Amino acid sequence: MDRLYVHEGPGFTRETAWVVDGAELSQAPAAVVRLMFHIYGDEEHYPIVNFYQDRREIDGKIYLYTANTIVHEGQQYLVEQWVDISAYWR
């Protein structure tokens, strides 16, 4: 269902960011959160040990950016995610 409101992806770089669909702005914020956490949100298997989030304006677009450190099999990994939220942030 969330793919009706957020397109593109996979969002691990700015160039491959998820893009919010401007047609259904009331649904977009929750859809963004669900998509982002669906990627690695299984804290039993991938505990998050560090979480960082902010908004970044780059080249006239506004992005929601997260950088999370997760643990998998004893190793820490940085997972970055980018979502173009220009449609509902302005």
Side-chain angles (χ1 to χ4, degrees):
M1 191 71 177
D2 292 330
R3 296 291 285 165
L4 296 175
Y5 314 118
V6 183
H7 306 280
E8 307 300 325
F12 296 118
T13 66
R14 184 171 57 90
E15 294 76 21
T16 64
W18 295 102
V19 178
V20 170
D21 183 342
E24 292 289 339
L25 294 182
S26 65
Q27 300 296 321
V32 167
V33 170
R34 284 190 299 268
L35 280 172
M36 292 175 84
F37 282 97
H38 179 73
I39 301 294
Y40 58 86
D42 182 355
E43 287 228 38
E44 182 178 334
H45 294 103
Y46 307 107
I48 298 171
V49 296
N50 189 20
F51 177 82
Y52 173 80
Q53 183 177 73
D54 70 1
R55 284 183 308 278
R56 298 182 174 184
E57 186 167 354
I58 302 171
D59 296 332
K61 294 184 179 181
I62 299 172
Y63 297 92
L64 177 64
Y65 169 78
T66 63
N68 303 298
T69 304
I70 63 171
V71 177
H72 178 65
E73 296 180 353
Q75 295 287 326
Q76 291 190 7
Y77 298 91
L78 177 65
V79 178
E80 295 181 304
Q81 290 184 293
W82 293 80
V83 181
D84 180 345
I85 59 172
S86 300
Y88 75 81
W89 189 254
R90 295 192 191 276

